[in-house]
PDB file of all heavy atoms in Angstrom:
ATOM      1  N   THR A   1     120.301  31.280 161.661  1.00 96.00           N
ATOM      2  CA  THR A   1     121.748  31.277 161.247  1.00 96.00           C
ATOM      3  C   THR A   1     122.281  32.713 161.083  1.00 96.00           C
ATOM      4  O   THR A   1     123.499  32.876 161.119  1.00 96.00           O
ATOM      5  CB  THR A   1     121.908  30.602 159.915  1.00 96.00           C
ATOM      6  OG1 THR A   1     121.350  31.342 158.802  1.00 96.00           O
ATOM      7  CG2 THR A   1     121.242  29.161 159.969  1.00 96.00           C
ATOM      8  N   LEU A   2     121.412  33.764 160.953  1.00 95.00           N
ATOM      9  CA  LEU A   2     121.901  35.147 160.696  1.00 95.00           C
ATOM     10  C   LEU A   2     122.107  35.832 162.011  1.00 95.00           C
ATOM     11  O   LEU A   2     122.662  36.959 161.969  1.00 95.00           O
ATOM     12  CB  LEU A   2     120.882  35.857 159.800  1.00 95.00           C
ATOM     13  CG  LEU A   2     120.712  35.299 158.389  1.00 95.00           C
ATOM     14  CD1 LEU A   2     119.573  36.081 157.665  1.00 95.00           C
ATOM     15  CD2 LEU A   2     122.081  35.412 157.639  1.00 95.00           C
ATOM     16  N   VAL A   3     121.618  35.389 163.122  1.00 96.00           N
ATOM     17  CA  VAL A   3     121.809  36.042 164.420  1.00 96.00           C
ATOM     18  C   VAL A   3     123.218  35.896 164.798  1.00 96.00           C
ATOM     19  O   VAL A   3     123.763  34.701 164.993  1.00 96.00           O
ATOM     20  CB  VAL A   3     120.860  35.482 165.453  1.00 96.00           C
ATOM     21  CG1 VAL A   3     121.114  36.257 166.833  1.00 96.00           C
ATOM     22  CG2 VAL A   3     119.417  35.618 165.054  1.00 96.00           C
ATOM     23  N   PRO A   4     123.986  36.972 165.056  1.00 95.00           N
ATOM     24  CA  PRO A   4     125.426  36.826 165.444  1.00 95.00           C
ATOM     25  C   PRO A   4     125.520  36.096 166.779  1.00 95.00           C
ATOM     26  O   PRO A   4     124.682  36.196 167.656  1.00 95.00           O
ATOM     27  CB  PRO A   4     125.901  38.243 165.583  1.00 95.00           C
ATOM     28  CG  PRO A   4     124.906  39.107 164.730  1.00 95.00           C
ATOM     29  CD  PRO A   4     123.660  38.332 164.822  1.00 95.00           C
ATOM     30  N   PRO A   5     126.531  35.256 166.942  1.00 95.00           N
ATOM     31  CA  PRO A   5     126.641  34.465 168.185  1.00 95.00           C
ATOM     32  C   PRO A   5     126.595  35.334 169.451  1.00 95.00           C
ATOM     33  O   PRO A   5     125.925  34.823 170.491  1.00 95.00           O
ATOM     34  CB  PRO A   5     128.003  33.747 168.032  1.00 95.00           C
ATOM     35  CG  PRO A   5     128.225  33.663 166.523  1.00 95.00           C
ATOM     36  CD  PRO A   5     127.633  34.904 165.978  1.00 95.00           C
ATOM     37  N   ALA A   6     127.209  36.518 169.401  1.00 94.00           N
ATOM     38  CA  ALA A   6     127.219  37.331 170.620  1.00 94.00           C
ATOM     39  C   ALA A   6     125.762  37.851 170.999  1.00 94.00           C
ATOM     40  O   ALA A   6     125.553  38.188 172.228  1.00 94.00           O
ATOM     41  CB  ALA A   6     128.116  38.535 170.393  1.00 94.00           C
ATOM     42  N   GLU A   7     124.918  37.863 169.978  1.00 96.00           N
ATOM     43  CA  GLU A   7     123.498  38.354 170.241  1.00 96.00           C
ATOM     44  C   GLU A   7     122.524  37.245 170.578  1.00 96.00           C
ATOM     45  O   GLU A   7     121.420  37.570 170.950  1.00 96.00           O
ATOM     46  CB  GLU A   7     123.031  39.206 169.030  1.00 96.00           C
ATOM     47  CG  GLU A   7     123.857  40.461 168.821  1.00 96.00           C
ATOM     48  CD  GLU A   7     123.796  41.400 169.991  1.00 96.00           C
ATOM     49  OE1 GLU A   7     122.792  41.596 170.613  1.00 96.00           O
ATOM     50  OE2 GLU A   7     124.849  41.936 170.376  1.00 96.00           O
ATOM     51  N   ARG A   8     122.894  35.996 170.351  1.00 96.00           N
ATOM     52  CA  ARG A   8     121.897  34.969 170.534  1.00 96.00           C
ATOM     53  C   ARG A   8     121.207  34.828 171.867  1.00 96.00           C
ATOM     54  O   ARG A   8     120.049  34.502 171.971  1.00 96.00           O
ATOM     55  CB  ARG A   8     122.564  33.623 170.109  1.00 96.00           C
ATOM     56  CG  ARG A   8     122.754  33.509 168.604  1.00 96.00           C
ATOM     57  CD  ARG A   8     123.538  32.250 168.173  1.00 96.00           C
ATOM     58  NE  ARG A   8     123.813  32.353 166.757  1.00 96.00           N
ATOM     59  CZ  ARG A   8     124.646  31.509 166.073  1.00 96.00           C
ATOM     60  NH1 ARG A   8     125.376  30.585 166.821  1.00 96.00           N
ATOM     61  NH2 ARG A   8     124.837  31.653 164.808  1.00 96.00           N
ATOM     62  N   PRO A   9     121.944  35.184 172.941  1.00 97.00           N
ATOM     63  CA  PRO A   9     121.201  35.118 174.208  1.00 97.00           C
ATOM     64  C   PRO A   9     120.066  36.085 174.365  1.00 97.00           C
ATOM     65  O   PRO A   9     119.191  35.980 175.223  1.00 97.00           O
ATOM     66  CB  PRO A   9     122.312  35.358 175.281  1.00 97.00           C
ATOM     67  CG  PRO A   9     123.582  35.044 174.569  1.00 97.00           C
ATOM     68  CD  PRO A   9     123.352  35.406 173.169  1.00 97.00           C
ATOM     69  N   TYR A  10     120.097  37.112 173.501  1.00 98.00           N
ATOM     70  CA  TYR A  10     119.138  38.238 173.600  1.00 98.00           C
ATOM     71  C   TYR A  10     118.056  38.289 172.456  1.00 98.00           C
ATOM     72  O   TYR A  10     117.239  39.196 172.424  1.00 98.00           O
ATOM     73  CB  TYR A  10     119.916  39.564 173.651  1.00 98.00           C
ATOM     74  CG  TYR A  10     121.057  39.506 174.489  1.00 98.00           C
ATOM     75  CD1 TYR A  10     122.405  39.464 174.011  1.00 98.00           C
ATOM     76  CD2 TYR A  10     120.935  39.579 175.931  1.00 98.00           C
ATOM     77  CE1 TYR A  10     123.529  39.423 174.871  1.00 98.00           C
ATOM     78  CE2 TYR A  10     122.040  39.535 176.748  1.00 98.00           C
ATOM     79  CZ  TYR A  10     123.362  39.416 176.239  1.00 98.00           C
ATOM     80  OH  TYR A  10     124.405  39.339 177.044  1.00 98.00           O
ATOM     81  N   VAL A  11     118.166  37.363 171.575  1.00 98.00           N
ATOM     82  CA  VAL A  11     117.316  37.314 170.428  1.00 98.00           C
ATOM     83  C   VAL A  11     116.515  36.036 170.339  1.00 98.00           C
ATOM     84  O   VAL A  11     117.112  34.943 170.540  1.00 98.00           O
ATOM     85  CB  VAL A  11     118.154  37.460 169.134  1.00 98.00           C
ATOM     86  CG1 VAL A  11     117.233  37.335 167.896  1.00 98.00           C
ATOM     87  CG2 VAL A  11     118.908  38.800 169.118  1.00 98.00           C
ATOM     88  N   ARG A  12     115.224  36.146 170.050  1.00 98.00           N
ATOM     89  CA  ARG A  12     114.378  34.932 169.920  1.00 98.00           C
ATOM     90  C   ARG A  12     113.786  35.004 168.487  1.00 98.00           C
ATOM     91  O   ARG A  12     113.247  36.064 168.072  1.00 98.00           O
ATOM     92  CB  ARG A  12     113.203  34.900 170.930  1.00 98.00           C
ATOM     93  CG  ARG A  12     113.664  34.802 172.338  1.00 98.00           C
ATOM     94  CD  ARG A  12     114.365  33.504 172.653  1.00 98.00           C
ATOM     95  NE  ARG A  12     114.855  33.400 174.035  1.00 98.00           N
ATOM     96  CZ  ARG A  12     115.966  33.808 174.558  1.00 98.00           C
ATOM     97  NH1 ARG A  12     116.888  34.391 173.688  1.00 98.00           N
ATOM     98  NH2 ARG A  12     116.254  33.787 175.767  1.00 98.00           N
ATOM     99  N   VAL A  13     113.940  33.916 167.712  1.00 97.00           N
ATOM    100  CA  VAL A  13     113.319  33.811 166.428  1.00 97.00           C
ATOM    101  C   VAL A  13     112.095  32.993 166.521  1.00 97.00           C
ATOM    102  O   VAL A  13     112.180  31.843 166.957  1.00 97.00           O
ATOM    103  CB  VAL A  13     114.274  33.267 165.376  1.00 97.00           C
ATOM    104  CG1 VAL A  13     113.618  33.191 163.990  1.00 97.00           C
ATOM    105  CG2 VAL A  13     115.533  34.118 165.352  1.00 97.00           C
ATOM    106  N   VAL A  14     110.941  33.481 166.119  1.00 97.00           N
ATOM    107  CA  VAL A  14     109.682  32.758 166.299  1.00 97.00           C
ATOM    108  C   VAL A  14     108.997  32.687 164.979  1.00 97.00           C
ATOM    109  O   VAL A  14     109.161  33.504 164.117  1.00 97.00           O
ATOM    110  CB  VAL A  14     108.740  33.447 167.391  1.00 97.00           C
ATOM    111  CG1 VAL A  14     109.473  33.507 168.702  1.00 97.00           C
ATOM    112  CG2 VAL A  14     108.302  34.791 166.942  1.00 97.00           C
ATOM    113  N   GLU A  15     108.111  31.682 164.850  1.00 93.00           N
ATOM    114  CA  GLU A  15     107.400  31.516 163.623  1.00 93.00           C
ATOM    115  C   GLU A  15     105.895  31.260 163.941  1.00 93.00           C
ATOM    116  O   GLU A  15     105.578  30.594 164.935  1.00 93.00           O
ATOM    117  CB  GLU A  15     107.924  30.358 162.805  1.00 93.00           C
ATOM    118  CG  GLU A  15     107.359  30.226 161.392  1.00 93.00           C
ATOM    119  CD  GLU A  15     106.245  29.136 161.389  1.00 93.00           C
ATOM    120  OE1 GLU A  15     106.367  28.132 162.122  1.00 93.00           O
ATOM    121  OE2 GLU A  15     105.297  29.287 160.672  1.00 93.00           O
ATOM    122  N   GLY A  16     104.966  31.950 163.140  1.00 88.00           N
ATOM    123  CA  GLY A  16     103.569  31.764 163.481  1.00 88.00           C
ATOM    124  C   GLY A  16     103.084  32.567 164.678  1.00 88.00           C
ATOM    125  O   GLY A  16     102.078  32.196 165.255  1.00 88.00           O
ATOM    126  N   ALA A  17     103.760  33.602 165.004  1.00 92.00           N
ATOM    127  CA  ALA A  17     103.327  34.372 166.195  1.00 92.00           C
ATOM    128  C   ALA A  17     103.609  35.837 165.968  1.00 92.00           C
ATOM    129  O   ALA A  17     103.952  36.556 166.943  1.00 92.00           O
ATOM    130  CB  ALA A  17     104.212  33.900 167.408  1.00 92.00           C
ATOM    131  N   THR A  18     103.284  36.335 164.767  1.00 93.00           N
ATOM    132  CA  THR A  18     103.476  37.709 164.497  1.00 93.00           C
ATOM    133  C   THR A  18     102.644  38.629 165.306  1.00 93.00           C
ATOM    134  O   THR A  18     103.134  39.686 165.809  1.00 93.00           O
ATOM    135  CB  THR A  18     103.202  37.976 162.965  1.00 93.00           C
ATOM    136  OG1 THR A  18     103.991  37.181 162.201  1.00 93.00           O
ATOM    137  CG2 THR A  18     103.371  39.468 162.620  1.00 93.00           C
ATOM    138  N   ARG A  19     101.428  38.337 165.558  1.00 93.00           N
ATOM    139  CA  ARG A  19     100.590  39.175 166.341  1.00 93.00           C
ATOM    140  C   ARG A  19     101.141  39.349 167.786  1.00 93.00           C
ATOM    141  O   ARG A  19     101.168  40.432 168.311  1.00 93.00           O
ATOM    142  CB  ARG A  19      99.179  38.606 166.542  1.00 93.00           C
ATOM    143  CG  ARG A  19      98.338  38.717 165.279  1.00 93.00           C
ATOM    144  CD  ARG A  19      96.924  38.067 165.519  1.00 93.00           C
ATOM    145  NE  ARG A  19      97.092  36.626 165.684  1.00 93.00           N
ATOM    146  CZ  ARG A  19      96.103  35.792 166.224  1.00 93.00           C
ATOM    147  NH1 ARG A  19      95.051  36.372 166.633  1.00 93.00           N
ATOM    148  NH2 ARG A  19      96.328  34.559 166.340  1.00 93.00           N
ATOM    149  N   GLU A  20     101.548  38.212 168.405  1.00 96.00           N
ATOM    150  CA  GLU A  20     102.163  38.422 169.783  1.00 96.00           C
ATOM    151  C   GLU A  20     103.377  39.094 169.750  1.00 96.00           C
ATOM    152  O   GLU A  20     103.720  39.959 170.691  1.00 96.00           O
ATOM    153  CB  GLU A  20     102.359  36.925 170.366  1.00 96.00           C
ATOM    154  CG  GLU A  20     101.084  36.147 170.687  1.00 96.00           C
ATOM    155  CD  GLU A  20     100.544  35.453 169.522  1.00 96.00           C
ATOM    156  OE1 GLU A  20     101.003  35.574 168.322  1.00 96.00           O
ATOM    157  OE2 GLU A  20      99.632  34.578 169.701  1.00 96.00           O
ATOM    158  N   ALA A  21     104.284  38.906 168.723  1.00 97.00           N
ATOM    159  CA  ALA A  21     105.475  39.579 168.710  1.00 97.00           C
ATOM    160  C   ALA A  21     105.298  41.149 168.614  1.00 97.00           C
ATOM    161  O   ALA A  21     105.984  41.942 169.196  1.00 97.00           O
ATOM    162  CB  ALA A  21     106.323  39.144 167.472  1.00 97.00           C
ATOM    163  N   LEU A  22     104.267  41.517 167.845  1.00 97.00           N
ATOM    164  CA  LEU A  22     104.041  42.972 167.662  1.00 97.00           C
ATOM    165  C   LEU A  22     103.240  43.518 168.767  1.00 97.00           C
ATOM    166  O   LEU A  22     103.532  44.643 169.294  1.00 97.00           O
ATOM    167  CB  LEU A  22     103.255  43.139 166.351  1.00 97.00           C
ATOM    168  CG  LEU A  22     103.990  42.921 164.971  1.00 97.00           C
ATOM    169  CD1 LEU A  22     103.028  43.042 163.825  1.00 97.00           C
ATOM    170  CD2 LEU A  22     105.100  43.904 164.851  1.00 97.00           C
ATOM    171  N   ALA A  23     102.215  42.776 169.240  1.00 97.00           N
ATOM    172  CA  ALA A  23     101.283  43.431 170.230  1.00 97.00           C
ATOM    173  C   ALA A  23     101.932  43.743 171.553  1.00 97.00           C
ATOM    174  O   ALA A  23     101.673  44.721 172.203  1.00 97.00           O
ATOM    175  CB  ALA A  23     100.109  42.430 170.449  1.00 97.00           C
ATOM    176  N   TYR A  24     102.923  42.850 171.939  1.00 97.00           N
ATOM    177  CA  TYR A  24     103.632  43.068 173.269  1.00 97.00           C
ATOM    178  C   TYR A  24     104.955  43.690 173.159  1.00 97.00           C
ATOM    179  O   TYR A  24     105.700  43.802 174.178  1.00 97.00           O
ATOM    180  CB  TYR A  24     103.702  41.671 173.930  1.00 97.00           C
ATOM    181  CG  TYR A  24     102.349  41.065 174.140  1.00 97.00           C
ATOM    182  CD1 TYR A  24     102.149  39.705 173.796  1.00 97.00           C
ATOM    183  CD2 TYR A  24     101.304  41.765 174.738  1.00 97.00           C
ATOM    184  CE1 TYR A  24     100.881  39.119 174.031  1.00 97.00           C
ATOM    185  CE2 TYR A  24     100.063  41.150 174.887  1.00 97.00           C
ATOM    186  CZ  TYR A  24      99.828  39.842 174.531  1.00 97.00           C
ATOM    187  OH  TYR A  24      98.680  39.274 174.776  1.00 97.00           O
ATOM    188  N   ALA A  25     105.384  44.146 171.996  1.00 98.00           N
ATOM    189  CA  ALA A  25     106.604  44.789 171.814  1.00 98.00           C
ATOM    190  C   ALA A  25     106.611  46.177 172.274  1.00 98.00           C
ATOM    191  O   ALA A  25     105.552  46.867 172.254  1.00 98.00           O
ATOM    192  CB  ALA A  25     107.093  44.776 170.284  1.00 98.00           C
ATOM    193  N   ARG A  26     107.695  46.700 172.716  1.00 98.00           N
ATOM    194  CA  ARG A  26     107.760  48.165 173.064  1.00 98.00           C
ATOM    195  C   ARG A  26     107.851  48.984 171.802  1.00 98.00           C
ATOM    196  O   ARG A  26     107.214  50.082 171.712  1.00 98.00           O
ATOM    197  CB  ARG A  26     109.005  48.418 173.843  1.00 98.00           C
ATOM    198  CG  ARG A  26     109.026  49.923 174.306  1.00 98.00           C
ATOM    199  CD  ARG A  26     110.044  50.187 175.459  1.00 98.00           C
ATOM    200  NE  ARG A  26     110.143  51.586 175.830  1.00 98.00           N
ATOM    201  CZ  ARG A  26     109.305  52.180 176.607  1.00 98.00           C
ATOM    202  NH1 ARG A  26     108.269  51.536 177.126  1.00 98.00           N
ATOM    203  NH2 ARG A  26     109.417  53.502 176.819  1.00 98.00           N
ATOM    204  N   ALA A  27     108.428  48.420 170.767  1.00 98.00           N
ATOM    205  CA  ALA A  27     108.536  49.092 169.440  1.00 98.00           C
ATOM    206  C   ALA A  27     108.824  48.022 168.457  1.00 98.00           C
ATOM    207  O   ALA A  27     109.182  46.880 168.784  1.00 98.00           O
ATOM    208  CB  ALA A  27     109.567  50.232 169.375  1.00 98.00           C
ATOM    209  N   ALA A  28     108.760  48.300 167.154  1.00 98.00           N
ATOM    210  CA  ALA A  28     108.981  47.372 166.094  1.00 98.00           C
ATOM    211  C   ALA A  28     109.627  48.037 164.931  1.00 98.00           C
ATOM    212  O   ALA A  28     109.521  49.233 164.685  1.00 98.00           O
ATOM    213  CB  ALA A  28     107.647  46.770 165.628  1.00 98.00           C
ATOM    214  N   VAL A  29     110.374  47.229 164.143  1.00 98.00           N
ATOM    215  CA  VAL A  29     110.927  47.616 162.883  1.00 98.00           C
ATOM    216  C   VAL A  29     110.279  46.606 161.827  1.00 98.00           C
ATOM    217  O   VAL A  29     110.581  45.355 161.996  1.00 98.00           O
ATOM    218  CB  VAL A  29     112.435  47.552 162.845  1.00 98.00           C
ATOM    219  CG1 VAL A  29     112.913  48.131 161.455  1.00 98.00           C
ATOM    220  CG2 VAL A  29     113.035  48.407 163.982  1.00 98.00           C
ATOM    221  N   VAL A  30     109.539  47.076 160.862  1.00 97.00           N
ATOM    222  CA  VAL A  30     108.765  46.221 160.037  1.00 97.00           C
ATOM    223  C   VAL A  30     108.973  46.480 158.535  1.00 97.00           C
ATOM    224  O   VAL A  30     108.983  47.622 158.124  1.00 97.00           O
ATOM    225  CB  VAL A  30     107.342  46.454 160.398  1.00 97.00           C
ATOM    226  CG1 VAL A  30     106.314  45.418 159.628  1.00 97.00           C
ATOM    227  CG2 VAL A  30     107.018  46.249 161.875  1.00 97.00           C
ATOM    228  N   ALA A  31     109.116  45.388 157.789  1.00 95.00           N
ATOM    229  CA  ALA A  31     109.302  45.515 156.329  1.00 95.00           C
ATOM    230  C   ALA A  31     107.976  46.143 155.761  1.00 95.00           C
ATOM    231  O   ALA A  31     106.871  45.680 156.211  1.00 95.00           O
ATOM    232  CB  ALA A  31     109.618  44.187 155.690  1.00 95.00           C
ATOM    233  N   SER A  32     108.075  46.975 154.773  1.00 90.00           N
ATOM    234  CA  SER A  32     106.949  47.627 154.284  1.00 90.00           C
ATOM    235  C   SER A  32     105.900  46.579 153.722  1.00 90.00           C
ATOM    236  O   SER A  32     106.266  45.658 153.062  1.00 90.00           O
ATOM    237  CB  SER A  32     107.366  48.553 153.021  1.00 90.00           C
ATOM    238  OG  SER A  32     106.228  49.182 152.499  1.00 90.00           O
ATOM    239  N   GLY A  33     104.636  46.782 153.988  1.00 86.00           N
ATOM    240  CA  GLY A  33     103.559  45.925 153.624  1.00 86.00           C
ATOM    241  C   GLY A  33     102.445  45.857 154.574  1.00 86.00           C
ATOM    242  O   GLY A  33     102.406  46.753 155.473  1.00 86.00           O
ATOM    243  N   THR A  34     101.639  44.731 154.466  1.00 86.00           N
ATOM    244  CA  THR A  34     100.440  44.670 155.326  1.00 86.00           C
ATOM    245  C   THR A  34     100.810  44.624 156.835  1.00 86.00           C
ATOM    246  O   THR A  34     100.084  45.159 157.673  1.00 86.00           O
ATOM    247  CB  THR A  34      99.668  43.419 154.933  1.00 86.00           C
ATOM    248  OG1 THR A  34      99.296  43.519 153.584  1.00 86.00           O
ATOM    249  CG2 THR A  34      98.445  43.318 155.814  1.00 86.00           C
ATOM    250  N   ALA A  35     102.060  44.066 157.133  1.00 92.00           N
ATOM    251  CA  ALA A  35     102.435  43.936 158.530  1.00 92.00           C
ATOM    252  C   ALA A  35     102.591  45.284 159.214  1.00 92.00           C
ATOM    253  O   ALA A  35     102.391  45.439 160.432  1.00 92.00           O
ATOM    254  CB  ALA A  35     103.743  43.159 158.655  1.00 92.00           C
ATOM    255  N   THR A  36     102.898  46.352 158.457  1.00 95.00           N
ATOM    256  CA  THR A  36     103.013  47.684 159.029  1.00 95.00           C
ATOM    257  C   THR A  36     101.637  48.126 159.566  1.00 95.00           C
ATOM    258  O   THR A  36     101.546  48.761 160.600  1.00 95.00           O
ATOM    259  CB  THR A  36     103.534  48.740 158.115  1.00 95.00           C
ATOM    260  OG1 THR A  36     102.636  48.932 157.057  1.00 95.00           O
ATOM    261  CG2 THR A  36     104.894  48.310 157.549  1.00 95.00           C
ATOM    262  N   LEU A  37     100.521  47.786 158.696  1.00 94.00           N
ATOM    263  CA  LEU A  37      99.215  48.123 159.208  1.00 94.00           C
ATOM    264  C   LEU A  37      98.793  47.309 160.413  1.00 94.00           C
ATOM    265  O   LEU A  37      98.165  47.824 161.307  1.00 94.00           O
ATOM    266  CB  LEU A  37      98.321  47.982 157.983  1.00 94.00           C
ATOM    267  CG  LEU A  37      96.841  48.522 158.168  1.00 94.00           C
ATOM    268  CD1 LEU A  37      96.911  50.058 158.376  1.00 94.00           C
ATOM    269  CD2 LEU A  37      96.086  48.173 156.892  1.00 94.00           C
ATOM    270  N   GLU A  38      99.097  46.014 160.351  1.00 94.00           N
ATOM    271  CA  GLU A  38      98.829  45.224 161.501  1.00 94.00           C
ATOM    272  C   GLU A  38      99.512  45.776 162.783  1.00 94.00           C
ATOM    273  O   GLU A  38      98.852  45.793 163.907  1.00 94.00           O
ATOM    274  CB  GLU A  38      99.381  43.791 161.260  1.00 94.00           C
ATOM    275  CG  GLU A  38      99.034  42.765 162.335  1.00 94.00           C
ATOM    276  CD  GLU A  38      99.474  41.388 161.963  1.00 94.00           C
ATOM    277  OE1 GLU A  38     100.247  41.204 160.944  1.00 94.00           O
ATOM    278  OE2 GLU A  38      99.103  40.441 162.674  1.00 94.00           O
TER     279      GLU A  38
END
């Protein structure tokens, strides 16, 4: 619900796939915590 309508064609929201989202990304922006180490 937070993705602006103009950006929805370019944004995918996924659940249960953090490793894939991070491993194959060109870069990431990550909330401080264990996920930064991952």
Side-chain angles (χ1 to χ4, degrees):
T1 69
L2 295 175
V3 179
E7 295 301 317
R8 286 175 186 166
Y10 314 105
V11 177
R12 299 292 181 270
V13 181
V14 302
E15 186 262 327
T18 299
R19 285 177 297 162
E20 289 88 349
L22 291 174
Y24 300 131
R26 182 166 179 82
V29 185
V30 183
S32 178
T34 303
T36 68
L37 192 58
E38 183 176 11

